[in-house]
Coordinates of all heavy atoms in Angstrom, one line a residue:
M1 N -5.6 13.1 5.9 CA -6.1 12.4 7.1 C -5.7 13.2 8.3 O -4.7 13.9 8.3 CB -5.5 11.0 7.2 CG -5.9 10.1 6.1 SD -7.0 8.9 6.7 CE -7.7 8.3 5.2
N2 N -6.5 13.1 9.3 CA -6.1 13.8 10.6 C -5.5 12.9 11.6 O -5.4 11.7 11.4 CB -7.3 14.6 11.1 CG -8.5 13.6 11.4 OD1 -8.3 12.5 11.7 ND2 -9.7 14.1 11.3
S3 N -5.2 13.4 12.8 CA -4.5 12.6 13.8 C -5.5 11.5 14.4 O -5.0 10.6 14.9 CB -4.0 13.5 14.9 OG -5.1 14.2 15.5
L4 N -6.8 11.7 14.3 CA -7.7 10.7 14.8 C -7.8 9.5 13.8 O -8.2 8.5 14.3 CB -9.1 11.4 15.0 CG -9.1 12.4 16.1 CD1 -10.5 13.0 16.2 CD2 -8.7 11.9 17.5
N5 N -7.5 9.8 12.6 CA -7.6 8.7 11.6 C -6.4 8.7 10.7 O -6.4 9.2 9.6 CB -8.9 8.9 10.7 CG -9.2 7.7 9.9 OD1 -8.5 6.6 10.0 ND2 -10.1 7.8 9.0
P6 N -5.2 8.3 11.3 CA -4.0 8.4 10.5 C -3.9 7.5 9.3 O -4.6 6.5 9.3 CB -2.9 8.0 11.5 CG -3.6 7.1 12.5 CD -5.1 7.6 12.5
R7 N -3.2 7.9 8.3 CA -3.0 7.1 7.1 C -1.8 6.2 7.3 O -0.8 6.7 7.7 CB -2.8 8.1 5.9 CG -2.6 7.4 4.6 CD -2.6 8.4 3.5 NE -2.3 7.7 2.3 CZ -1.3 8.0 1.5 NH1 -0.6 9.1 1.8 NH2 -1.0 7.4 0.4
M8 N -2.0 5.0 7.0 CA -0.9 4.0 7.1 C -0.6 3.5 5.8 O -1.5 3.3 4.9 CB -1.4 2.8 8.0 CG -1.6 3.2 9.5 SD -2.3 1.9 10.5 CE -1.2 0.6 10.2
V9 N 0.7 3.3 5.5 CA 1.2 2.8 4.3 C 2.0 1.5 4.5 O 2.9 1.5 5.4 CB 2.0 3.8 3.5 CG1 2.6 3.3 2.3 CG2 1.2 5.1 3.2
K10 N 1.8 0.5 3.7 CA 2.6 -0.7 3.8 C 3.1 -1.0 2.4 O 2.3 -1.0 1.4 CB 1.8 -1.9 4.3 CG 1.3 -1.8 5.7 CD 2.5 -1.8 6.7 CE 2.0 -1.7 8.1 NZ 3.0 -1.6 9.1
T11 N 4.4 -1.3 2.2 CA 4.9 -1.6 0.9 C 6.2 -2.4 1.1 O 6.8 -2.4 2.2 CB 5.2 -0.4 0.1 OG1 5.7 -0.7 -1.2 CG2 6.2 0.5 0.8
N12 N 6.5 -3.2 0.1 CA 7.8 -3.9 0.1 C 8.7 -3.4 -1.0 O 9.7 -3.9 -1.3 CB 7.7 -5.4 0.1 CG 7.1 -5.9 -1.3 OD1 6.6 -5.1 -2.1 ND2 7.2 -7.1 -1.5
V13 N 8.3 -2.3 -1.7 CA 9.1 -1.7 -2.8 C 10.0 -0.7 -2.2 O 9.6 0.3 -1.5 CB 8.1 -1.0 -3.8 CG1 9.0 -0.4 -5.0 CG2 7.1 -2.0 -4.3
K14 N 11.3 -0.8 -2.4 CA 12.3 0.0 -1.8 C 12.1 1.5 -2.1 O 12.3 2.3 -1.2 CB 13.7 -0.5 -2.3 CG 14.9 0.3 -1.7 CD 16.2 -0.2 -2.2 CE 17.3 0.6 -1.7 NZ 18.6 0.2 -2.3
D15 N 11.7 1.8 -3.3 CA 11.6 3.3 -3.6 C 10.5 4.0 -2.9 O 10.5 5.2 -2.8 CB 11.3 3.4 -5.1 CG 12.5 2.9 -6.0 OD1 13.6 2.9 -5.5 OD2 12.3 2.6 -7.2
F16 N 9.5 3.3 -2.3 CA 8.4 3.9 -1.6 C 8.5 3.8 -0.1 O 7.6 4.2 0.6 CB 7.1 3.2 -2.1 CG 6.9 3.1 -3.6 CD1 6.3 2.0 -4.1 CD2 7.4 4.0 -4.4 CE1 6.2 1.8 -5.5 CE2 7.3 3.9 -5.8 CZ 6.7 2.8 -6.3
K17 N 9.6 3.2 0.4 CA 9.7 3.1 1.9 C 9.6 4.4 2.6 O 9.1 4.4 3.8 CB 11.0 2.4 2.2 CG 11.1 0.9 1.9 CD 10.2 0.1 2.8 CE 10.3 -1.4 2.5 NZ 9.5 -2.2 3.3
I18 N 10.0 5.5 2.0 CA 10.0 6.8 2.8 C 8.5 7.2 3.1 O 8.2 7.9 4.0 CB 10.7 7.9 2.0 CG1 10.9 9.1 2.9 CG2 9.9 8.3 0.7 CD1 11.9 10.1 2.3
L19 N 7.6 6.7 2.3 CA 6.2 7.0 2.5 C 5.6 6.3 3.7 O 4.5 6.6 4.2 CB 5.3 6.7 1.2 CG 5.7 7.4 0.0 CD1 4.9 6.9 -1.2 CD2 5.5 8.9 0.1
T20 N 6.3 5.3 4.2 CA 5.8 4.5 5.4 C 6.2 5.2 6.7 O 5.7 4.8 7.7 CB 6.4 3.1 5.4 OG1 7.8 3.1 5.5 CG2 6.0 2.3 4.1
K21 N 7.1 6.1 6.6 CA 7.6 6.8 7.8 C 6.7 8.0 8.2 O 6.2 8.7 7.3 CB 9.0 7.2 7.7 CG 10.0 6.1 7.4 CD 11.3 6.6 7.1 CE 12.2 5.4 6.7 NZ 13.5 5.8 6.2
N22 N 6.5 8.2 9.5 CA 5.7 9.3 10.0 C 6.6 10.5 10.1 O 7.8 10.4 10.3 CB 5.2 9.0 11.4 CG 4.1 7.9 11.3 OD1 3.5 7.7 10.3 ND2 3.9 7.2 12.4
R23 N 6.1 11.7 9.9 CA 6.7 13.0 10.1 C 7.9 13.2 9.2 O 8.9 13.7 9.6 CB 7.2 13.1 11.6 CG 6.0 13.0 12.5 CD 6.5 13.2 14.0 NE 5.4 12.9 14.9 CZ 4.7 13.8 15.5 NH1 4.9 15.1 15.4 NH2 3.8 13.5 16.3
V24 N 7.8 12.8 8.0 CA 8.8 13.1 7.0 C 8.3 14.3 6.2 O 7.1 14.3 5.8 CB 9.0 11.9 6.0 CG1 10.0 12.3 4.9 CG2 9.5 10.7 6.8
P25 N 9.1 15.3 6.0 CA 8.6 16.5 5.3 C 8.2 16.2 3.9 O 8.7 15.3 3.3 CB 9.9 17.4 5.3 CG 10.8 17.0 6.4 CD 10.5 15.5 6.5
L26 N 7.2 16.9 3.4 CA 6.6 16.7 2.1 C 7.6 16.8 1.0 O 7.6 16.0 0.1 CB 5.5 17.7 1.9 CG 4.7 17.5 0.6 CD1 4.0 16.2 0.5 CD2 3.7 18.6 0.4
G27 N 8.6 17.7 1.1 CA 9.6 17.8 0.1 C 10.4 16.6 -0.1 O 10.8 16.2 -1.2
H28 N 10.6 15.8 1.0 CA 11.4 14.6 1.0 C 10.6 13.5 0.3 O 11.1 12.5 -0.1 CB 11.8 14.2 2.4 CG 12.8 15.1 3.0 ND1 14.1 14.7 3.3 CD2 12.8 16.4 3.3 CE1 14.8 15.8 3.8 NE2 13.9 16.8 3.8
Q29 N 9.3 13.6 0.4 CA 8.4 12.5 -0.1 C 8.0 12.7 -1.6 O 7.6 11.8 -2.3 CB 7.1 12.5 0.6 CG 7.2 12.2 2.1 CD 5.8 12.3 2.8 OE1 4.8 12.3 2.1 NE2 5.9 12.3 4.1
M30 N 8.3 13.9 -2.2 CA 7.9 14.2 -3.6 C 8.4 13.2 -4.6 O 7.7 12.7 -5.5 CB 8.3 15.6 -3.9 CG 7.5 16.6 -3.2 SD 5.7 16.4 -3.2 CE 5.4 16.8 -4.9
D31 N 9.7 12.8 -4.5 CA 10.3 11.9 -5.5 C 9.6 10.5 -5.4 O 9.3 9.9 -6.4 CB 11.8 11.8 -5.3 CG 12.6 13.0 -5.7 OD1 12.0 13.8 -6.5 OD2 13.7 13.2 -5.1
A32 N 9.4 10.1 -4.2 CA 8.7 8.8 -4.0 C 7.3 8.9 -4.5 O 6.8 7.9 -5.1 CB 8.7 8.4 -2.5
M33 N 6.6 10.0 -4.3 CA 5.2 10.1 -4.8 C 5.1 10.1 -6.3 O 4.3 9.5 -6.9 CB 4.6 11.4 -4.3 CG 4.3 11.4 -2.8 SD 3.8 13.0 -2.2 CE 2.5 12.5 -1.1
R34 N 6.1 10.7 -7.0 CA 6.2 10.7 -8.5 C 6.5 9.3 -8.9 O 5.8 8.8 -9.9 CB 7.3 11.6 -9.0 CG 6.9 13.1 -8.9 CD 7.9 14.0 -9.6 NE 7.7 15.3 -9.1 CZ 8.5 15.9 -8.2 NH1 9.6 15.3 -7.7 NH2 8.3 17.2 -7.8
A35 N 7.4 8.6 -8.3 CA 7.7 7.2 -8.7 C 6.5 6.3 -8.4 O 6.2 5.4 -9.3 CB 8.9 6.7 -7.9
L36 N 5.8 6.5 -7.4 CA 4.6 5.7 -7.1 C 3.5 5.9 -8.1 O 2.9 5.0 -8.6 CB 4.0 6.1 -5.7 CG 2.7 5.4 -5.3 CD1 2.9 3.9 -5.2 CD2 2.2 5.9 -4.0
K37 N 3.3 7.2 -8.6 CA 2.3 7.5 -9.6 C 2.7 6.7 -10.9 O 1.8 6.1 -11.5 CB 2.2 9.0 -9.8 CG 1.2 9.3 -10.8 CD 1.1 10.8 -11.1 CE 0.1 11.2 -12.1 NZ 0.1 12.6 -12.5
T38 N 3.9 6.8 -11.3 CA 4.4 6.1 -12.5 C 4.2 4.6 -12.3 O 3.8 3.9 -13.3 CB 5.8 6.4 -12.8 OG1 6.0 7.9 -12.9 CG2 6.3 5.8 -14.0
W39 N 4.5 4.1 -11.2 CA 4.4 2.6 -10.9 C 3.0 2.2 -11.0 O 2.7 1.1 -11.5 CB 5.0 2.4 -9.5 CG 5.2 0.9 -9.2 CD1 6.2 0.1 -9.6 CD2 4.3 0.2 -8.3 NE1 6.0 -1.2 -9.0 CE2 4.9 -1.1 -8.2 CE3 3.2 0.4 -7.6 CZ2 4.3 -2.1 -7.5 CZ3 2.6 -0.6 -6.8 CH2 3.2 -1.8 -6.8
K40 N 2.1 3.0 -10.4 CA 0.6 2.6 -10.4 C 0.1 2.6 -11.9 O -0.8 1.8 -12.2 CB -0.2 3.6 -9.6 CG -0.1 3.4 -8.1 CD -1.0 4.4 -7.4 CE -1.0 4.3 -6.0 NZ -1.9 5.3 -5.4
E41 N 0.5 3.5 -12.7 CA 0.0 3.7 -14.1 C 0.7 2.7 -15.0 O 0.2 2.6 -16.2 CB 0.2 5.1 -14.6 CG -0.6 6.1 -13.8 CD -0.2 7.5 -14.2 OE1 0.8 7.8 -14.9 OE2 -1.0 8.4 -13.7
D42 N 1.7 2.0 -14.6 CA 2.4 1.0 -15.5 C 1.4 -0.2 -15.8 O 0.6 -0.5 -15.0 CB 3.6 0.5 -14.8 CG 4.5 -0.4 -15.7 OD1 4.1 -0.6 -16.9 OD2 5.6 -0.8 -15.2
E43 N 1.5 -0.7 -17.0 CA 0.6 -1.8 -17.4 C 0.9 -3.1 -16.6 O 0.0 -4.0 -16.6 CB 0.8 -2.1 -18.9 CG 2.1 -2.5 -19.3 CD 2.3 -2.6 -20.8 OE1 1.6 -1.9 -21.5 OE2 3.0 -3.5 -21.3
K44 N 2.0 -3.3 -16.0 CA 2.3 -4.5 -15.2 C 1.6 -4.4 -13.8 O 1.4 -5.5 -13.2 CB 3.8 -4.7 -15.0 CG 4.6 -4.9 -16.3 CD 6.0 -4.9 -16.0 CE 6.9 -4.8 -17.2 NZ 8.3 -4.7 -16.9
T45 N 1.3 -3.3 -13.4 CA 0.7 -3.1 -12.0 C -0.8 -3.4 -12.1 O -1.5 -2.9 -12.9 CB 1.0 -1.7 -11.5 OG1 2.4 -1.4 -11.6 CG2 0.5 -1.5 -10.1
R46 N -1.2 -4.2 -11.1 CA -2.6 -4.5 -11.0 C -3.2 -4.0 -9.7 O -2.5 -3.6 -8.8 CB -2.8 -6.1 -11.1 CG -2.3 -6.7 -12.3 CD -2.5 -8.1 -12.4 NE -2.0 -8.7 -13.6 CZ -1.5 -9.8 -13.7 NH1 -1.4 -10.6 -12.7 NH2 -1.0 -10.3 -14.9
K47 N -4.5 -4.0 -9.7 CA -5.2 -3.4 -8.5 C -6.2 -4.4 -7.9 O -6.8 -5.1 -8.7 CB -5.9 -2.1 -8.9 CG -6.6 -1.5 -7.7 CD -7.1 -0.1 -8.1 CE -8.3 -0.2 -9.0 NZ -9.0 1.1 -9.2
A48 N -6.2 -4.5 -6.6 CA -7.2 -5.5 -6.0 C -7.6 -4.8 -4.7 O -7.0 -3.9 -4.2 CB -6.5 -6.8 -5.7
W49 N -8.7 -5.4 -4.1 CA -9.2 -4.9 -2.8 C -9.1 -6.1 -1.9 O -9.5 -7.3 -2.2 CB -10.6 -4.5 -2.9 CG -10.8 -3.2 -3.6 CD1 -10.9 -3.0 -5.0 CD2 -10.8 -1.9 -3.0 NE1 -11.0 -1.7 -5.3 CE2 -10.9 -0.9 -4.1 CE3 -10.6 -1.4 -1.7 CZ2 -10.9 0.4 -3.9 CZ3 -10.7 -0.1 -1.5 CH2 -10.8 0.9 -2.6
I50 N -8.6 -5.9 -0.6 CA -8.7 -7.0 0.4 C -9.5 -6.5 1.5 O -9.6 -5.3 1.8 CB -7.3 -7.4 0.8 CG1 -6.5 -6.2 1.4 CG2 -6.5 -8.0 -0.3 CD1 -5.2 -6.6 2.0
S51 N -10.1 -7.4 2.2 CA -11.0 -7.1 3.3 C -10.3 -7.4 4.6 O -9.6 -8.5 4.7 CB -12.3 -7.9 3.3 OG -13.0 -7.7 4.4
Q52 N -10.4 -6.5 5.5 CA -9.8 -6.7 6.9 C -10.9 -6.9 7.9 O -10.6 -6.9 9.1 CB -8.9 -5.5 7.2 CG -8.1 -5.6 8.4 CD -7.4 -4.4 8.8 OE1 -7.4 -3.4 8.1 NE2 -6.9 -4.4 10.0
K53 N -12.1 -7.1 7.5 CA -13.2 -7.2 8.4 C -13.0 -8.5 9.3 O -12.8 -9.6 8.7 CB -14.5 -7.3 7.6 CG -15.7 -7.0 8.5 CD -16.9 -6.7 7.6 CE -17.9 -6.0 8.4 NZ -18.2 -4.7 7.9
R54 N -13.1 -8.3 10.6 CA -13.0 -9.4 11.6 C -11.7 -10.2 11.5 O -11.7 -11.4 11.8 CB -14.2 -10.3 11.4 CG -15.5 -9.6 11.8 CD -16.7 -10.6 11.8 NE -17.0 -11.1 10.5 CZ -17.7 -10.5 9.6 NH1 -18.1 -9.3 9.8 NH2 -17.9 -11.1 8.4
K55 N -10.6 -9.6 11.1 CA -9.3 -10.2 11.1 C -8.2 -9.1 11.2 O -8.5 -8.0 10.9 CB -9.1 -11.1 9.9 CG -9.1 -10.4 8.6 CD -8.8 -11.5 7.5 CE -9.8 -11.2 6.4 NZ -9.7 -12.1 5.3
S56 N -7.1 -9.5 11.6 CA -6.0 -8.6 11.8 C -5.4 -8.2 10.5 O -5.6 -8.9 9.5 CB -4.9 -9.2 12.7 OG -4.2 -10.2 12.0
F57 N -4.7 -7.0 10.5 CA -4.1 -6.6 9.2 C -3.1 -7.6 8.7 O -3.0 -7.9 7.5 CB -3.4 -5.2 9.4 CG -2.5 -4.9 8.3 CD1 -3.1 -4.5 7.1 CD2 -1.2 -5.0 8.4 CE1 -2.3 -4.2 6.0 CE2 -0.4 -4.7 7.3 CZ -0.9 -4.3 6.1
T58 N -2.3 -8.2 9.6 CA -1.3 -9.1 9.1 C -1.9 -10.4 8.5 O -1.4 -10.9 7.6 CB -0.3 -9.5 10.3 OG1 -1.1 -10.0 11.4 CG2 0.5 -8.3 10.7
A59 N -3.0 -10.8 9.1 CA -3.7 -12.0 8.5 C -4.2 -11.6 7.1 O -4.1 -12.4 6.2 CB -4.8 -12.4 9.4
A60 N -4.8 -10.4 7.0 CA -5.3 -10.0 5.6 C -4.2 -9.9 4.6 O -4.3 -10.3 3.5 CB -6.0 -8.7 5.8
L61 N -3.0 -9.3 5.1 CA -1.9 -9.2 4.2 C -1.3 -10.5 3.8 O -1.0 -10.8 2.6 CB -0.8 -8.3 4.8 CG 0.5 -8.1 4.0 CD1 0.2 -7.4 2.7 CD2 1.5 -7.3 4.9
R62 N -1.2 -11.4 4.7 CA -0.7 -12.8 4.4 C -1.7 -13.5 3.4 O -1.2 -14.1 2.5 CB -0.6 -13.6 5.7 CG 0.1 -14.8 5.6 CD 0.3 -15.6 6.9 NE 0.7 -14.8 8.0 CZ -0.1 -14.5 9.1 NH1 -1.3 -15.0 9.2 NH2 0.3 -13.7 10.0
E63 N -3.0 -13.3 3.6 CA -4.0 -14.0 2.8 C -3.8 -13.4 1.3 O -3.9 -14.1 0.4 CB -5.3 -13.7 3.3 CG -6.5 -14.3 2.5 CD -7.8 -14.0 3.1 OE1 -8.0 -14.3 4.3 OE2 -8.7 -13.4 2.4
F64 N -3.6 -12.1 1.3 CA -3.5 -11.4 0.0 C -2.3 -11.9 -0.8 O -2.3 -12.3 -2.0 CB -3.4 -9.9 0.1 CG -2.9 -9.2 -1.1 CD1 -3.7 -9.0 -2.2 CD2 -1.6 -8.7 -1.1 CE1 -3.2 -8.3 -3.3 CE2 -1.1 -8.1 -2.2 CZ -1.9 -7.9 -3.3
R65 N -1.1 -12.0 -0.1 CA 0.1 -12.4 -0.7 C 0.0 -13.9 -1.2 O 0.5 -14.2 -2.2 CB 1.3 -12.3 0.2 CG 1.7 -10.8 0.3 CD 3.0 -10.7 1.1 NE 3.0 -11.3 2.4 CZ 3.6 -11.0 3.4 NH1 4.5 -10.0 3.3 NH2 3.5 -11.6 4.6
D66 N -0.6 -14.7 -0.4 CA -0.8 -16.1 -0.8 C -1.8 -16.3 -2.0 O -1.5 -17.1 -2.9 CB -1.3 -16.9 0.4 CG -0.3 -17.1 1.5 OD1 0.9 -16.9 1.2 OD2 -0.8 -17.5 2.6
L67 N -2.8 -15.5 -2.0 CA -3.8 -15.6 -3.1 C -3.3 -15.0 -4.4 O -3.5 -15.7 -5.4 CB -5.1 -14.8 -2.6 CG -6.3 -14.9 -3.6 CD1 -6.8 -16.3 -3.7 CD2 -7.4 -14.0 -3.1
Y68 N -2.7 -13.9 -4.4 CA -2.2 -13.2 -5.6 C -0.8 -13.4 -6.0 O -0.3 -13.0 -7.0 CB -2.5 -11.7 -5.5 CG -3.9 -11.4 -5.6 CD1 -4.7 -11.1 -4.4 CD2 -4.6 -11.3 -6.8 CE1 -6.0 -10.8 -4.4 CE2 -6.0 -11.0 -6.8 CZ -6.7 -10.7 -5.6 OH -8.0 -10.4 -5.6
E69 N 0.0 -14.1 -5.1 CA 1.4 -14.3 -5.3 C 2.1 -13.0 -5.7 O 2.9 -13.0 -6.6 CB 1.6 -15.4 -6.3 CG 1.1 -16.7 -5.9 CD 1.2 -17.8 -7.0 OE1 1.7 -17.5 -8.1 OE2 0.8 -18.9 -6.7
A70 N 1.9 -12.0 -4.9 CA 2.5 -10.7 -5.2 C 3.9 -10.6 -4.8 O 4.2 -10.9 -3.6 CB 1.7 -9.6 -4.5
K71 N 4.8 -10.1 -5.7 CA 6.2 -9.9 -5.3 C 6.4 -8.5 -4.8 O 7.2 -8.2 -4.0 CB 7.0 -10.2 -6.5 CG 7.1 -11.7 -6.9 CD 8.1 -11.9 -8.0 CE 8.2 -13.3 -8.4 NZ 7.2 -14.3 -8.2
E72 N 5.7 -7.5 -5.4 CA 5.7 -6.1 -5.0 C 4.3 -5.6 -4.7 O 3.4 -6.0 -5.4 CB 6.3 -5.2 -6.1 CG 7.8 -5.5 -6.5 CD 8.3 -4.6 -7.6 OE1 7.4 -4.1 -8.3 OE2 9.5 -4.4 -7.7
Y73 N 4.2 -4.9 -3.7 CA 2.8 -4.3 -3.4 C 2.9 -3.0 -2.7 O 3.9 -2.6 -2.1 CB 2.0 -5.3 -2.5 CG 2.7 -5.6 -1.1 CD1 2.4 -4.8 0.0 CD2 3.6 -6.6 -1.0 CE1 3.0 -5.0 1.2 CE2 4.1 -6.9 0.3 CZ 3.8 -6.0 1.3 OH 4.4 -6.2 2.5
Y74 N 1.8 -2.2 -2.8 CA 1.7 -0.9 -2.1 C 0.3 -0.8 -1.7 O -0.7 -1.0 -2.5 CB 2.1 0.2 -3.1 CG 1.8 1.6 -2.5 CD1 2.7 2.2 -1.6 CD2 0.6 2.2 -2.7 CE1 2.4 3.4 -1.1 CE2 0.3 3.4 -2.1 CZ 1.2 4.0 -1.3 OH 0.9 5.2 -0.7
M75 N 0.1 -0.5 -0.4 CA -1.3 -0.3 0.1 C -1.3 0.9 1.1 O -0.4 1.1 1.8 CB -1.9 -1.5 0.7 CG -1.1 -2.1 1.9 SD -1.7 -3.6 2.6 CE -1.2 -4.7 1.3
A76 N -2.4 1.7 1.0 CA -2.5 2.8 1.9 C -4.0 2.7 2.4 O -4.9 2.5 1.7 CB -2.3 4.1 1.2
F77 N -4.1 2.9 3.7 CA -5.4 2.8 4.3 C -5.5 3.6 5.6 O -4.5 3.9 6.2 CB -5.8 1.3 4.6 CG -4.8 0.6 5.4 CD1 -5.0 0.4 6.8 CD2 -3.7 0.0 4.8 CE1 -4.0 -0.2 7.5 CE2 -2.7 -0.7 5.6 CZ -2.9 -0.8 6.9
G78 N -6.7 3.9 6.0 CA -6.9 4.6 7.3 C -7.1 3.7 8.4 O -7.2 2.5 8.3
K79 N -7.1 4.2 9.6 CA -7.2 3.4 10.8 C -8.5 2.6 10.9 O -8.5 1.5 11.4 CB -7.1 4.3 12.1 CG -7.0 3.6 13.4 CD -6.8 4.6 14.5 CE -6.8 3.9 15.8 NZ -6.7 4.9 16.9
H80 N -9.6 3.1 10.5 CA -10.9 2.5 10.7 C -11.5 1.9 9.4 O -12.6 1.5 9.4 CB -11.9 3.5 11.3 CG -11.5 4.0 12.6 ND1 -11.4 3.2 13.7 CD2 -11.0 5.2 12.9 CE1 -11.0 4.0 14.7 NE2 -10.7 5.2 14.3
D81 N -10.7 1.8 8.4 CA -11.1 1.1 7.1 C -11.2 -0.4 7.3 O -10.4 -1.0 8.0 CB -10.2 1.5 6.0 CG -10.3 2.9 5.6 OD1 -11.2 3.6 6.0 OD2 -9.4 3.4 4.8
D82 N -12.2 -1.0 6.6 CA -12.2 -2.5 6.7 C -11.9 -3.1 5.3 O -11.9 -4.3 5.2 CB -13.5 -3.0 7.3 CG -14.7 -2.5 6.5 OD1 -14.6 -1.8 5.6 OD2 -15.8 -3.0 6.8
S83 N -11.7 -2.3 4.3 CA -11.3 -2.8 3.0 C -10.1 -1.9 2.5 O -10.1 -0.7 2.8 CB -12.4 -2.8 2.0 OG -12.9 -1.5 1.8
I84 N -9.2 -2.5 1.9 CA -7.9 -1.9 1.5 C -7.7 -2.0 0.1 O -7.7 -3.2 -0.5 CB -6.7 -2.5 2.3 CG1 -7.0 -2.4 3.8 CG2 -5.4 -1.8 2.0 CD1 -6.2 -3.3 4.7
E85 N -7.4 -0.9 -0.6 CA -7.0 -1.0 -2.1 C -5.5 -1.3 -2.1 O -4.7 -0.6 -1.5 CB -7.3 0.3 -2.7 CG -7.1 0.3 -4.2 CD -7.4 1.6 -4.9 OE1 -7.4 2.7 -4.2 OE2 -7.8 1.6 -6.1
V86 N -5.2 -2.3 -2.9 CA -3.8 -2.7 -3.0 C -3.3 -2.7 -4.5 O -4.1 -3.2 -5.4 CB -3.6 -4.2 -2.5 CG1 -2.2 -4.6 -2.6 CG2 -4.1 -4.3 -1.1
F87 N -2.2 -2.1 -4.7 CA -1.6 -2.2 -6.0 C -0.4 -3.1 -5.9 O 0.4 -3.1 -5.0 CB -1.1 -0.8 -6.4 CG -2.2 0.2 -6.6 CD1 -2.6 1.0 -5.6 CD2 -2.8 0.4 -7.8 CE1 -3.6 1.9 -5.7 CE2 -3.8 1.3 -8.0 CZ -4.2 2.0 -6.9
Y88 N -0.3 -4.0 -6.9 CA 0.7 -5.1 -6.8 C 1.2 -5.5 -8.2 O 0.6 -5.2 -9.2 CB 0.1 -6.3 -6.1 CG -0.9 -7.0 -6.8 CD1 -0.6 -8.2 -7.6 CD2 -2.3 -6.6 -6.9 CE1 -1.6 -8.9 -8.3 CE2 -3.2 -7.3 -7.6 CZ -2.9 -8.4 -8.3 OH -3.9 -9.1 -9.0
R89 N 2.3 -6.2 -8.2 CA 2.9 -6.9 -9.3 C 3.3 -8.3 -9.0 O 3.7 -8.6 -7.9 CB 4.2 -6.2 -9.8 CG 3.9 -4.8 -10.4 CD 5.2 -4.2 -10.9 NE 4.9 -2.9 -11.5 CZ 5.9 -2.2 -12.0 NH1 7.2 -2.5 -11.9 NH2 5.6 -1.0 -12.5
T90 N 3.1 -9.2 -9.9 CA 3.4 -10.6 -9.7 C 4.8 -11.0 -10.3 O 5.3 -10.3 -11.0 CB 2.4 -11.5 -10.3 OG1 2.2 -11.2 -11.6 CG2 1.1 -11.4 -9.5

């Protein structure tokens, strides 16, 4: 992604928190990226899409957590996206 359309990451998983910070060198992110890949491929992890159309991100996130009762989640999206892919565990 470029500076006009930055990539945003939201998660509540402690191991992936470094991916939410801006301007972290790639070498520091590599362990978290490997752990994320393993976490996504695990059979307990599920995938869903949430819509942010005509509502704030926090409202969409709150709606997602209420609907799916997610305890852990990871989502990455661009600035102008109106649907977000979410990986989660219940």
Side-chain angles (χ1 to χ4, degrees):
M1 298 250 161
N2 60 29
S3 62
L4 296 176
N5 191 9
R7 182 170 171 235
M8 295 175 53
V9 174
K10 296 290 182 186
T11 184
N12 69 345
V13 181
K14 182 181 175 185
D15 294 340
F16 311 145
K17 286 289 185 180
I18 195 167
L19 299 174
T20 64
K21 299 176 183 169
N22 293 335
R23 301 181 190 257
V24 176
L26 182 62
H28 294 242
Q29 296 179 14
M30 292 306 292
D31 291 334
M33 290 174 140
R34 286 187 199 104
L36 176 61
K37 182 179 178 187
T38 304
W39 189 80
K40 283 181 179 180
E41 293 172 350
D42 190 358
E43 62 186 31
K44 297 176 193 172
T45 304
R46 298 182 181 148
K47 180 171 74 170
W49 289 88
I50 59 174
S51 175
Q52 187 186 350
K53 197 165 199 119
R54 293 184 296 280
K55 62 181 134 179
S56 70
F57 167 73
T58 54
L61 178 59
R62 193 177 315 113
E63 181 180 305
F64 165 76
R65 286 191 303 209
D66 292 343
L67 183 63
Y68 290 98
E69 298 176 355
K71 292 187 177 26
E72 297 180 336
Y73 62 88
Y74 173 85
M75 59 183 73
F77 54 97
K79 184 178 178 183
H80 301 291
D81 291 348
D82 60 353
S83 61
I84 305 163
E85 183 178 27
V86 181
F87 295 90
Y88 70 97
R89 288 184 180 175
T90 54

